[in-house]
């Protein structure tokens, strides 16, 4: 639900702010004309748009600190932005504030192949780190689907995942240190080139804090050795339940696959004509299960995975024979979002996590919601770690469809909470899921989140209105907190 | 169990009212660790039991007072483990103590630390408020990661109640080999191997001997052991357990034990006394009577930090002192969760 936006900067205030910025920044670092700020009006969640007061593009850490100090003095809100690929509206501008773009922080500062770490600026693209490390046989493991475009600073803000995080972890597991400018203009060095640091684990708090605690100006990441070999099993199933059981059986057998992805029939149907990945179109669901490592262990593991799939009633099993075929298997999964975009004028990507065993229930619930809202939904699923991405198909040009789609999405998230899961696995809360936060968390926990925020940003100027709702907002919505799967009316069917 | 929580809430609220220090204590196995103990004991072992364990979900949830032994036994029965291999340091060591101290064992460099595996935590804060953070799923970015903030906080932010953890399958095969080399060679070799996709799950160098544990598929472990060509060690599980519990010969004696966490490539440290290297070079144990300021200076110069792990010394903080801006943030977080400053006073830093 969209609330009325906060007030914009008045022309006088904007002029005064620009003038104050010009004291220490050249004019090309400050954008305030309509045509210049327009490109910043939204991030990857384009349903939400808002023009910023002023866009500032600092060139170094000192300038970032000075911008923040100035904003603090004037009480001006600040929204930090990386590549703008986020899917929850975390970088949606504040009409009365500064949109702080880190786009100029594009340098890899240091790559130490012996210690296997890279020190980079926040605007460096996720994939660029792996590309730079490739010559040493190393890579940066988290691989969100937007990895060709998204920046590492944004990854830290969202604690981004990817298709390999069951085995290799999320951003929080792969970042060793961040430098952060606080709203007070102070620089904090959090973490180190070590495996731990004294004091509280502030690094964990920074990861996924959605730009509400500080502005990241430097990131040190862990690099991992590239596996010698990777192979992928493609298995088809006659029902979602069978596919879900196959996933559980792989884990029960003591295997942690490098990737374990599921797509349902509507998703494969959208993808196959687009990329010809070779997915069987009659299957209710397909699984992609990858093993990586040294050749001997991959061969042994792939053999076991194929056997498990067979025992779990797979209707078809194929093992990638070479790298080209492995990439083809993955091409469909990686193209799922654009492929859905091709068959529908618009789509809305959701991001809940559930305990894997509840998959069949939740997907059944979603199919009932398709009927209720008269909209179709394709599902792709990071099956290994329970992270579900339902893609709701809609047409924004049809009056009322966007609203129906948003209501549909909200109900999916509430299904995830009721199943004992969470409203966001890797995309963040941003502005998009802020109302569902009222359902997932009781007021005292939301208050604790606000208190953490105040410890870092007492003035409340960093990315206000995102990630954690005010108790007032929750009360206004009348949204009820659903505790850990306990339904308020257990006797009623829920879909 | 609810009665225990209610009792604790009352005691915490009363202590907060009077400004009286409370000392959170499980089995007491880690009483030696961190700053000196202060305050009335709040005993946690009665709040025990595994709440939820689904091997196929790779998630276990238990009460903080649950003995690590019980958890490890339950996991072993289903072919799984706590991959961070927590040190117990005494009989009856609890999950809560392991999480609060944030200590990980030999597998840390390969598998990750305690905080990497914590998915959710329910706590009583310093006002007695019952708060749940995180959850029981692997990926969850709703709200700040307060669960992980509790790891290594030494109980200064709240009393841990229920903790959920990611667990992992036991490796199909483990094999330990030994080869002779000096410290510099060990540091060089360990870093070189860590840059290859080799299934090395633990390492320890001491007294010119490098011991390596290989873990993974049988095929992978055998292939690597053929390449490394060390001497296979019998009863290796006992060795790694003794190392984890600091019962090897290295840890004997009265000299203070320092734990230096450094960049993995840091050269052999210029400190008197004996050194033992773990975690592919990232962890250096030093038994030395050297001045605390010297030890910390050496650690700092290689981008690391030094903890006085065993053997408290007068006026020497257990943990490496924090720079002022970070200290200010720590104070504010402490005030947020424990405004009366009653929980485990002085255990993390002298200041609160």
């Amino acid at each position: 639900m969209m609330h009325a936006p906060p007030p914009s900067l008045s022309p006088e205030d904007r002029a005064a702010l620009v003038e104050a910025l010009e004291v220490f920044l050249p004019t090309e670092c400050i954008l305030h004309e309509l045509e210049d700020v327009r490109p910043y009006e939204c991030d990857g969640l384009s349903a939400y748009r808002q023009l910023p007061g002023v866009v500032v593009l600092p060139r170094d850490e000192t300038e970032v600190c000075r911008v923040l100090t100035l904003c603090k003095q004037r009480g001006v809100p600040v929204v930090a932005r990386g590549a703008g690929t986020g899917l929850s509206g975390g970088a949606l501008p504040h009409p009365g504030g500064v949109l702080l773009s880190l786009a100029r922080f594009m340098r890899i500062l240091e790559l130490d192949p012996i210690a296997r770490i890279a020190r980079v600026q926040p605007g460096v693209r996720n994939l660029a780190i792996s590309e730079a490390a490739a010559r040493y046989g190393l890579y940066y493991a988290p691989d969100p689907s937007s990895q060709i475009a998204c920046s590492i600073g944004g990854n830290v803000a969202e604690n981004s995942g990817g298709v390999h995080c069951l085995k290799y972890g999320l951003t929080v597991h792969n970042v060793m240190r961040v430098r952060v400018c606080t709203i007070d203009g102070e620089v904090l060095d959090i973490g180190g080139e070590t495996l731990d640091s004294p004091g509280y684990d502030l690094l964990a708090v920074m990861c996924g804090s959605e730009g509400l605690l500080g502005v990241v100006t430097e990131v040190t990441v862990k690099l991992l050795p590239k596996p010698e070999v990777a192979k992928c099993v493609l298995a088809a199933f006659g029902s979602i339940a069978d596919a879900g059981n196959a996933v559980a059986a792989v884990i029960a057998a003591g295997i942690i696959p490098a990737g374990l992805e599921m797509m349902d029939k509507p998703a494969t149907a959208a993808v196959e004509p687009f990329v010809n990945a070779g997915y069987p179109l009659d299957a209710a669901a397909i699984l992609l299960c990858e093993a990586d490592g040294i050749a001997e262990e991959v061969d042994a593991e792939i053999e076991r995975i194929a056997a498990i799939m067979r025992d779990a009633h797979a209707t078809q099993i194929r093992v990638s024979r070479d790298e080209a075929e492995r990439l083809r298997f993955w091409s469909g999964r990686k193209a799922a979002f654009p492929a859905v975009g091709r068959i529908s004028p618009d789509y809305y990507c959701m991001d809940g996590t559930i305990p894997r065993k509840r998959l069949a229930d939740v997907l059944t619930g979603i199919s009932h919601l398709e009927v209720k809202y008269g909209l179709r939904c394709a599902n792709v699923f990071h099956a290994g770690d329970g992270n579900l991405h339902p893609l709701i198909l809609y047409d924004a040009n049809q009056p009322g469809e966007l609203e129906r789609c948003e209501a549909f999405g909200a109900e999916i998230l509430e299904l995830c909470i009721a199943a004992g899961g969470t409203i966001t696995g890797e995309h963040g809360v941003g502005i998009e899921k802020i109302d569902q936060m009222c359902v997932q968390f009781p007021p005292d926990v939301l208050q604790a989140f606000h208190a953490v925020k105040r410890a870092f940003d007492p003035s409340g100027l960093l990315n206000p209105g995102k990630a954690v709702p005010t108790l007032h907002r929750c009360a206004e919505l009348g949204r009820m907190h659903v505790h850990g799967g306990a339904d308020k009316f257990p006797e009623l069917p829920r879909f | 169990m609810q009665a225990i929580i209610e009792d604790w809430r009352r005691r915490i609220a009363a202590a907060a009212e009077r400004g009286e220090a409370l000392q959170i204590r499980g089995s007491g196995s880690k009483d030696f660790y961190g700053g000196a103990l202060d305050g009335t004991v709040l005993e946690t072992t009665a709040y025990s039991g595994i709440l939820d364990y689904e091997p196929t979900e790779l998630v276990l949830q238990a009460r903080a007072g649950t003995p690590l032994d019980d958890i490890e036994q339950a996991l072993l029965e289903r072919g799984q483990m706590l991959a961070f291999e927590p040190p117990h340091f005494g009989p009856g060591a609890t999950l809560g103590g392991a999480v609060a101290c944030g200590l990980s064992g030999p597998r840390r460099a390969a598998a990750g630390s305690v905080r990497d595996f914590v998915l959710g935590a329910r706590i009583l804060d310093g006002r007695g408020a019952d708060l749940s953070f995180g959850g029981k799923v692997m990926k969850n970015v709703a709200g700040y990661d307060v669960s992980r903030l509790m790891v290594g906080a030494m109980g200064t932010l709240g009393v841990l109640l229920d903790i959920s953890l990611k667990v992992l399958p036991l490796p199909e095969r483990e094999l330990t080999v030994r080869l002779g080399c000096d410290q510099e060679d060990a540091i060089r070799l360990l870093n070189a191997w860590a840059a290859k996709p080799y299934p090395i799950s633990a390492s320890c160098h001491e007294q010119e001997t490098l011991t390596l544990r290989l873990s993974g598929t049988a095929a992978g472990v055998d292939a690597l052991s053929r390449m490394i060509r060390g001497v296979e060690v019998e009863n290796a599980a006992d060795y790694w357990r003794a190392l984890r519990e600091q019962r090897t010969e290295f840890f004997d004696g009265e000299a203070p034990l320092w734990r230096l966490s450094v960049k993995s490539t840091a050269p052999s440290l210029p400190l008197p006394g004996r050194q033992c290297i773990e975690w592919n070079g990232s962890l250096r144990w030093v038994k030395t009577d050297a001045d605390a300021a010297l030890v910390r200076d050496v650690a700092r110069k290689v981008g690391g930090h030094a903890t006085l792990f065993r053997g408290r010394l007068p006026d020497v903080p257990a943990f490496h002192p924090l720079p002022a801006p970070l200290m200010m943030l720590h104070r504010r977080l402490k005030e947020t969760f424990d405004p009366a400053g009653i929980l485990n006073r002085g255990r993390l830093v002298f200041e609160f």
Side-chain angles (χ1 to χ4, degrees):
Chain A
M1 183 195 294
M2 280 275 215
H3 277 220
S8 303
L9 277 182
S10 69
E12 302 75 44
D13 286 347
R14 178 179 293 120
L17 180 61
V18 168
E19 196 182 331
L21 286 162
E22 280 172 348
V23 170
F24 59 92
L25 286 173
T27 50
E28 70 266 21
C29 292
I30 309 162
L31 310 177
H32 53 92
E33 300 294 345
L34 183 61
E35 70 270 23
D36 295 330
V37 302
R38 176 75 72 193
Y40 297 89
E41 69 178 350
C42 68
D43 60 12
L45 183 70
S46 56
Y48 292 76
R49 289 170 195 269
Q50 175 62 62
L51 287 171
V54 178
V55 176
V56 183
L57 297 115
R59 297 161 301 178
D60 60 32
E61 186 178 87
T62 310
E63 288 179 355
V64 171
C65 288
R66 292 191 73 173
V67 173
L68 292 172
T69 308
L70 179 72
C71 288
K72 171 90 185 267
Q73 280 165 3
R74 294 175 165 251
V76 172
V78 181
V79 178
R81 174 186 166 112
T85 57
L87 293 172
S88 57
L92 182 77
H94 190 289
V98 163
L99 191 282
L100 187 69
S101 166
L102 281 306
R104 295 201 164 145
F105 286 70
M106 290 189 49
R107 282 190 304 136
I108 293 179
L109 300 168
E110 188 191 349
L111 202 156
D112 182 341
I114 312 290
R116 303 157 331 271
I117 51 185
R119 192 162 60 86
V120 306
Q121 291 189 320
V124 171
R125 290 174 306 114
N126 171 299
L127 191 60
I129 303 176
S130 291
E131 285 168 351
R135 81 183 83 150
Y136 306 108
L138 302 169
Y139 76 115
Y140 175 64
D143 57 347
S145 56
S146 56
Q147 73 175 149
I148 55 165
C150 64
S151 68
I152 190 72
N155 289 178
V156 170
E158 302 297 332
N159 191 15
S160 306
V163 295
H164 291 99
C165 42
L166 179 65
K167 185 166 178 182
Y168 296 108
L170 306 158
T171 304
V172 69
H173 302 107
N174 289 278
V175 163
M176 304 181 77
R177 169 184 162 272
V178 291
R179 270 172 81 86
V180 177
C181 283
T182 68
I183 189 71
D184 297 308
E186 210 146 18
V187 177
L188 303 176
D189 229 315
I190 295 174
E193 293 180 337
T194 47
L195 292 184
D196 45 43
S197 299
Y200 296 141
D201 198 332
L202 302 179
L203 193 57
V205 178
M206 282 306 302
C207 287
S209 61
E210 303 196 23
L212 271 76
L213 304 182
V215 176
V216 171
T217 55
E218 205 177 289
V219 185
T220 302
V221 300
K222 189 163 94 171
L223 301 173
L224 297 185
K226 263 170 93 168
E228 251 174 36
V229 190
K231 285 189 181 176
C232 186
V233 175
L234 165 63
F237 293 88
S239 72
I240 296 277
D242 278 353
N245 291 336
V247 170
V250 169
I251 305 290
I255 297 170
I256 299 293
L260 183 50
E261 295 286 313
M262 188 190 293
M263 294 169 76
D264 72 359
K265 198 172 185 174
T268 51
V271 156
E272 192 52 29
F274 188 42
V275 292
N276 300 313
Y279 297 159
L281 292 172
D282 54 346
I286 63 153
L287 284 180
L288 294 172
C289 186
E290 181 156 286
D292 68 9
I294 57 179
E296 291 86 347
E297 64 185 346
V298 171
D299 286 341
E301 204 162 278
I302 285 287
E303 205 171 297
R304 291 181 65 207
I305 291 169
I308 292 165
M309 297 291 175
R310 228 174 349 260
D311 291 346
H313 314 298
T315 54
Q316 196 188 115
I317 296 171
R318 287 161 56 195
V319 177
S320 62
R321 282 162 299 188
D322 51 31
E323 190 59 9
E325 188 168 46
R326 185 183 77 88
L327 294 175
R328 196 158 58 247
F329 285 177
W330 280 106
S331 68
R333 169 62 188 87
K334 292 199 167 172
F337 293 11
V340 166
R342 215 178 60 119
I343 60 164
S344 171
D346 298 283
Y347 70 92
Y348 186 33
C349 174
M350 309 306 297
D351 168 48
T353 305
I354 53 171
R356 273 188 306 264
K357 62 180 172 186
R358 301 297 304 274
L359 177 67
D361 298 344
V362 171
L363 290 187
T364 305
I366 291 176
S367 63
H368 285 106
L369 291 172
E370 289 186 83
V371 177
K372 174 174 170 183
Y373 288 102
L375 293 171
R376 288 180 300 154
C377 185
N379 291 288
V380 297
F381 184 49
H382 299 305
D385 38 38
N387 189 194
L388 187 62
H389 291 313
L391 304 168
I392 306 171
L393 282 50
Y394 73 103
D395 181 353
N397 289 328
Q398 298 298 318
E401 273 208 10
L402 173 62
E403 290 71 21
R404 283 213 317 275
C405 171
E406 285 190 317
F408 187 170
E411 277 209 55
I412 290 177
L413 297 181
E414 286 165 29
L415 271 178
C416 292
I417 300 172
T422 178
I423 57 172
T424 173
E426 57 184 358
H427 294 172
V429 173
I431 191 70
E432 180 202 22
K433 288 176 275 270
I434 195 147
D435 292 340
Q436 281 74 43
M437 286 291 282
C438 308
V439 186
Q440 184 162 341
F441 295 103
D444 49 359
V445 173
L446 294 175
Q447 262 170 325
F449 289 148
H450 286 299
V452 169
K453 157 86 169 164
R454 276 195 302 277
F456 285 81
D457 173 23
S459 53
L461 290 171
L462 291 171
N463 217 2
K466 311 276 178 63
V468 186
T470 60
L471 298 186
H472 178 73
R473 179 172 183 136
C474 293
E476 209 176 48
L477 278 164
R479 284 292 166 80
M480 294 298 294
H481 163 62
V482 181
H483 181 69
D487 216 307
K488 242 190 346 162
F489 303 105
E491 71 280 10
L492 296 180
R494 292 280 172 143
F495 303 113
Chain B
M1 290 297 158
Q2 197 51 38
I4 295 177
I5 295 174
E6 286 310 317
D7 174 52
W8 290 357
R9 292 183 68 159
R10 273 193 300 274
R11 288 181 60 192
I12 293 168
E17 179 93 1
R18 294 191 298 266
E20 278 175 14
L22 281 181
Q23 181 196 144
I24 309 160
R25 190 169 188 270
S27 75
S29 61
K30 296 169 189 72
D31 278 354
F32 69 87
Y33 186 63
L37 312 176
D38 182 19
T40 314
V41 172
L42 184 85
E43 229 260 5
T44 63
T45 50
Y47 190 72
S48 170
I50 294 172
L51 294 164
D52 190 10
Y53 173 38
E54 300 238 14
T56 59
E57 297 285 327
L58 296 175
V59 174
L60 178 141
Q61 186 190 37
R63 297 193 181 97
T66 313
L68 286 173
D69 281 329
D70 293 5
I71 292 172
E72 286 166 344
Q73 185 57 39
L75 289 167
L76 187 63
E77 283 165 15
R78 305 302 297 267
Q80 297 187 333
M81 63 175 176
L82 297 175
F84 51 93
E85 232 177 344
H88 292 214
F89 294 143
T94 64
L95 173 63
V99 170
C101 294
L103 297 172
S104 307
R107 207 180 299 271
R108 192 269 173 257
S113 67
V114 196
R115 67 85 103 147
D116 290 331
F117 289 90
V118 166
L119 301 174
R122 176 183 173 200
I123 66 162
L124 293 180
D125 74 5
R127 281 164 293 223
D130 184 344
L131 305 169
S132 291
F133 300 98
K136 290 196 281 185
V137 289
M138 307 270 164
K139 282 166 91 179
N140 182 0
V141 293
Y144 304 116
D145 199 341
V146 178
S147 321
R148 288 196 169 98
L149 184 62
M150 296 297 144
V151 182
M154 300 297 291
T156 57
L157 298 177
V159 179
L160 293 166
L161 293 178
D162 308 333
I163 298 157
S164 38
L165 298 165
K166 177 178 174 180
V167 299
L168 285 181
L170 287 165
E172 184 183 316
R173 180 157 159 74
E174 293 211 309
L175 178 76
T176 294
V177 294
R178 214 160 249 168
L179 44 156
C181 65
D182 65 14
Q183 268 198 25
E184 295 301 342
D185 274 344
I187 293 165
R188 187 179 51 77
L189 281 170
L190 288 169
N191 277 286
W193 286 330
K196 301 283 179 197
Y198 295 160
I200 296 174
S201 72
S203 58
C204 178
H205 181 269
E206 212 260 315
Q207 300 271 50
E208 310 294 302
T209 303
L210 177 60
T211 310
L212 291 174
R213 184 174 62 190
L214 321 182
S215 307
T217 59
V221 166
D222 292 344
L224 182 59
S225 77
R226 280 194 300 275
M227 203 200 70
I228 290 182
R229 299 211 296 217
V231 178
E232 188 175 339
V233 177
E234 300 291 316
N235 299 321
D238 293 344
Y239 168 75
W240 293 109
R241 196 174 307 111
L243 176 69
R244 184 191 80 187
E245 298 302 323
Q246 302 187 339
R247 289 195 309 253
T248 58
E249 182 269 340
F250 171 84
F251 294 97
D252 289 346
E254 293 308 305
L257 175 66
W258 286 87
R259 175 193 187 276
L260 278 73
S261 180
V262 299
K263 190 170 174 177
S264 63
T265 49
S268 184
L269 302 175
L271 283 168
R274 282 174 62 183
Q275 297 183 24
C276 169
I277 301 177
E278 281 194 80
W279 298 1
N280 292 340
S282 298
L283 181 61
R284 315 283 172 96
W285 297 102
V286 186
K287 280 205 75 95
T288 182
D289 287 309
D291 193 50
L294 172 70
V295 178
R296 293 219 146 111
D297 195 46
V298 165
R300 191 184 49 76
K301 280 188 179 139
V302 290
H305 63 97
T307 304
L308 178 53
F309 200 85
R310 281 184 195 265
R312 291 188 178 106
L313 297 170
D315 304 320
V316 176
F319 300 105
H320 209 100
L322 299 167
L326 278 182
M327 190 61 210
M328 160 126 95
L329 206 47
H330 277 66
R331 263 184 214 283
R332 288 191 195 152
L333 284 167
K334 173 71 175 175
E335 280 161 19
T336 291
F337 286 93
D338 178 19
I342 55 164
L343 298 177
N344 280 8
R345 208 176 266 173
R347 199 77 194 272
L348 182 75
V349 290
F350 283 156
E351 289 83 349
F352 56 74

